[in-house]
Amino acid sequence: MDELLKSIEGMEPSKALAIVLEKLESKANQWEEIMDIDTLSRYLKVKKTWVYKRVQFKEIPFSKVGKYPRFRKKDIDAWFEDQSSVRARA
């Protein structure tokens, strides 16, 4: 926080506000999206049964909340990129 204040000190108010808003947006993005089966199937544009099979065989990154699988968007994005690069090399 002190670094942010020092960096905007003496700055034109509109520029300082833009920097502060950018920092806040960055912090907000750290609260990553958590998806359920329905959301993930829509995100990947696949059937829910496909997602259930990937979970069953632990072929996709997930965590469980009780008995419910949940997916972090950033983990799914990384997994997807990894899958894409594997197929590109084959």
Side-chain angles (χ1 to χ4, degrees):
M1 183 61 130
D2 289 336
E3 288 180 34
L4 177 61
L5 291 173
K6 287 179 185 176
S7 69
I8 63 172
E9 191 175 331
M11 223 181 243
E12 180 183 319
S14 62
K15 287 184 180 181
L17 179 59
I19 290 171
V20 169
L21 289 174
E22 183 179 315
K23 189 73 167 180
L24 286 172
E25 185 177 316
S26 171
K27 286 287 185 189
N29 289 337
Q30 288 178 356
W31 290 95
E32 59 191 315
E33 185 175 350
I34 304 292
M35 296 183 278
D36 61 9
I37 294 278
D38 291 332
T39 308
L40 181 61
S41 68
R42 284 193 309 272
Y43 181 65
L44 294 177
K45 297 181 170 108
V46 297
K47 294 181 180 184
K48 288 191 287 187
T49 55
W50 184 92
V51 177
Y52 279 113
K53 284 183 182 178
R54 299 293 114 22
V55 168
Q56 179 182 1
F57 295 109
K58 298 181 171 113
E59 297 174 350
I60 196 166
F62 70 95
S63 296
K64 284 209 169 182
V65 177
K67 65 179 185 178
Y68 304 102
R70 294 294 181 254
F71 311 89
R72 285 190 171 99
K73 185 178 180 299
K74 73 174 187 174
D75 294 341
I76 295 299
D77 291 341
W79 170 83
F80 185 80
E81 287 301 316
D82 188 49
Q83 297 300 305
S84 299
S85 65
V86 166
R87 287 195 174 88
R89 285 185 254 144

